[in-house]
Amino acid sequence: MSMTQTVPVTVAIARRADPARASEMVAWMRAGTALAEAFPGFLGAGWVQSGPGSPEWHMLYRFADAETLHRWEESPQRHWWLSSAQGIVEHTRVERRTGIEGWFDPPLEHWVDPVEPIPPASPPRWKQAVTIWLAFFPLSLSATLLTSRFLAHVPLPARVLLMTLCLTPLMTYLVLPRITRALHWWLHGHPAPWRNARP
């Protein structure tokens, strides 16, 4: 199995519905969540109304990888569920999130209460950049020293090619996920773990 298949995919969907039909909207979203729960790879879903009496609703759901997400999105169950809301719900925006920013997303909980808040936003871009640099610098330095010592006779383009082929999977699947877990408190503005420690 390819490693890329294990990258979770989060889908954010904006929908509009008549505020007078809010109870129907909630029942419809609960039904969709119940259907999705039966599919392998389902990691959670949630929804929130923009405000009291607002026609705007935001729904999130996450699957373990693109393949399991595709199975759900192309399933007869989902098509039936979407068709059942015709005339009630208008779909206004869909956004998929994977890649580097996905490492900074907080875990998606399985919400069942429509008044619960959506997950907190991703950390500031500068914090993401610092975290990526902290992971990339020691890897790049080590690779440069090793290749200049043991592969000095190899042409520079070939050395750079070899370095990037080795460093990219190391960054993606080993170093960056670990450093983002270690710095989760800083990325999301929480107190340092040692400040919460008690003797």
Side-chain angles (χ1 to χ4, degrees):
M1 179 178 292
S2 172
M3 287 186 177
T4 57
Q5 293 177 321
T6 64
V7 178
V9 183
T10 301
V11 180
I13 303 176
R15 294 184 166 105
R16 294 177 60 89
D18 185 345
R21 310 187 75 166
S23 59
E24 294 176 60
M25 184 68 172
V26 171
W28 179 73
M29 289 187 289
R30 287 184 185 273
T33 300
L35 289 172
E37 284 177 335
F39 280 73
F42 177 77
L43 298 179
W47 59 85
V48 65
Q49 192 175 12
S50 294
S54 172
E56 300 289 340
W57 293 79
H58 301 276
M59 186 173 187
L60 293 169
Y61 56 89
R62 175 175 283 181
F63 277 78
D65 50 48
E67 182 180 349
T68 55
L69 172 64
H70 180 75
R71 290 175 186 169
W72 157 245
E73 292 187 330
E74 297 301 318
S75 67
Q77 294 93 321
R78 181 173 180 271
H79 287 300
W80 169 84
W81 174 64
L82 291 175
S83 65
S84 69
Q86 289 183 0
I88 301 176
V89 180
E90 176 189 355
H91 309 280
T92 59
R93 182 179 59 84
V94 177
E95 178 185 352
R96 295 167 187 263
R97 302 186 66 183
T98 56
I100 287 178
E101 289 198 0
W103 290 315
F104 299 97
D105 291 340
L108 181 65
E109 301 294 337
H110 179 194
W111 306 321
V112 295
D113 189 337
V115 300
E116 290 190 17
I118 58 175
S122 296
R125 290 297 180 106
W126 71 270
K127 286 191 175 183
Q128 297 183 29
V130 170
T131 303
I132 293 171
W133 180 84
L134 288 173
F136 180 75
F137 174 73
L139 277 181
S140 179
L141 179 61
S142 300
T144 301
L145 292 173
L146 289 173
T147 55
S148 62
R149 179 173 181 180
F150 297 105
L151 301 176
H153 60 284
V154 176
L156 180 61
R159 275 190 284 162
V160 174
L161 175 63
L162 180 62
M163 286 173 56
T164 55
L165 288 175
C166 294
L167 295 185
T168 299
L170 283 175
M171 277 281 294
T172 303
Y173 301 109
L174 182 64
V175 179
L176 193 53
R178 293 190 177 188
I179 198 169
T180 54
R181 282 196 298 269
L183 296 179
H184 182 272
W185 60 273
W186 177 72
L187 287 164
H188 295 281
H190 299 158
W194 55 85
R195 291 184 179 179
N196 297 327
R198 295 182 179 179

